[in-house]
Amino acid sequence: KAGVTQTPRYLIKTRGQQVTLSCSPISGHRSVSWYQQTPGQGLQFLFEYFSETQRNKGNFPGRFSGRQFSNSRSEMNVSTLELGDSALYLCASSLDQVSYEQYFGPGTRLTVT
Amino acid sequence: QKEVEQNSGPLSVPEGAIASLNCTYSDRGSQSFFWYRQYSGKSPELIMFIYSNGDKEDGRFTAQLNKASQYVSLLIRDSQPSDSATYLCAFEGSQGNLIFGKGTKLSVKP
């Protein structure tokens, strides 16, 4: 069974731009969560989607948004990029909304200059 | 606020030894606990999960959970240089997410 895939793997953007990251969960998994990982803060929860609905959201500004499609694929968008948004963005999939066993994709390394 | 505490390390053990990684958590009501391994430059990989008090063994890995004391540990027997990585402890949050510790860096010396 294929794992979680994320595209693109690397991205360089300038301040003020926006970016869209994509995630395809493991086949059969319907819940997708997004995390931001930085050396200082570790893994921080962004949001979770299940059945095309955002179930929960972490403590991030409104510039961070996401959505999920009917095939469970998910995208996250960051608008008006700031230098501090440079991080590894990780998508994790789980079977459903009650399973906490999450499997991570390879991540997208975003650098904001 | 729910938190996870881990010793950042680095924890250095000789090849063949037992590596012991510990984690304490703040939410007494948590039911699910996870250990992830993250190699440098890679994403976290789920290696163990435990839901009940006691020990759970999987190959060279043993997870131990003590809910009364609010700690969970990971033992790696016969440590190998390939086990050198950062180990992240996590438990369920109230938002359908996992709350992660900052990780313990393990170095296994040949």
Side-chain angles (χ1 to χ4, degrees):
Chain A
K1 187 181 281 190
V4 179
T5 58
Q6 290 186 247
T7 57
R9 293 292 310 279
Y10 303 91
L11 210 47
I12 299 175
K13 292 285 188 179
T14 56
R15 278 183 301 173
Q17 288 186 313
Q18 75 166 23
V19 66
T20 299
L21 312 180
S22 181
C23 169
S24 293
I26 293 170
S27 178
H29 283 197
R30 298 170 60 199
S31 177
V32 173
S33 298
W34 288 89
Y35 293 84
Q36 180 196 67
Q37 187 175 34
T38 58
Q41 297 299 315
L43 272 159
Q44 301 286 310
F45 172 68
L46 281 158
F47 27 65
E48 185 217 358
Y49 287 88
F50 176 78
S51 289
E52 302 178 66
T53 302
Q54 185 183 89
R55 286 207 317 135
N56 294 294
K57 190 176 192 302
N59 189 26
F60 278 81
R63 300 184 297 107
F64 292 82
S65 63
R67 59 178 175 168
Q68 186 181 36
F69 302 94
S70 58
N71 61 358
S72 296
R73 190 177 70 86
S74 177
E75 289 181 347
M76 68 164 281
N77 184 277
V78 188
S79 62
T80 319
L81 285 166
E82 300 177 358
L83 294 178
D85 296 334
S86 294
L88 180 65
Y89 289 88
L90 292 158
C91 162
S93 80
S94 58
L95 195 58
D96 51 40
Q97 77 274 30
V98 297
S99 170
Y100 287 96
E101 295 168 32
Q102 297 185 1
Y103 299 87
F104 284 89
T108 294
R109 173 75 62 186
L110 172 65
T111 301
V112 182
T113 61
Chain B
Q1 183 165 335
K2 297 184 179 182
E3 291 182 344
V4 181
E5 294 290 335
Q6 286 186 263
N7 188 325
S8 62
L11 173 66
S12 183
V13 300
E15 184 174 356
I18 296 176
S20 177
L21 304 162
N22 301 306
C23 170
T24 59
Y25 59 93
S26 60
D27 185 0
R28 189 173 289 276
S30 294
Q31 300 293 322
S32 309
F33 304 87
F34 305 85
W35 283 100
Y36 285 80
R37 176 177 63 198
Q38 187 171 24
Y39 292 112
S40 181
K42 302 293 185 182
S43 62
E45 174 192 7
L46 178 62
I47 56 172
M48 290 286 286
F49 53 86
I50 186 167
Y51 303 137
S52 304
N53 269 333
D55 296 358
K56 178 182 178 183
E57 187 173 317
D58 183 0
R60 295 187 295 112
F61 298 98
T62 299
Q64 299 175 318
L65 174 60
N66 184 321
K67 291 185 179 180
S69 300
Q70 294 178 240
Y71 84 78
V72 58
S73 61
L74 180 69
L75 301 178
I76 306 174
R77 290 182 300 281
D78 187 24
S79 295
Q80 301 296 309
S82 59
D83 295 326
S84 298
T86 297
Y87 289 80
L88 302 166
C89 167
F91 71 100
E92 69 190 63
S94 57
Q95 297 177 293
N97 59 309
L98 292 179
I99 296 175
F100 285 85
K102 295 284 180 70
T104 298
K105 188 171 183 178
L106 172 66
S107 177
V108 181
K109 304 294 187 185

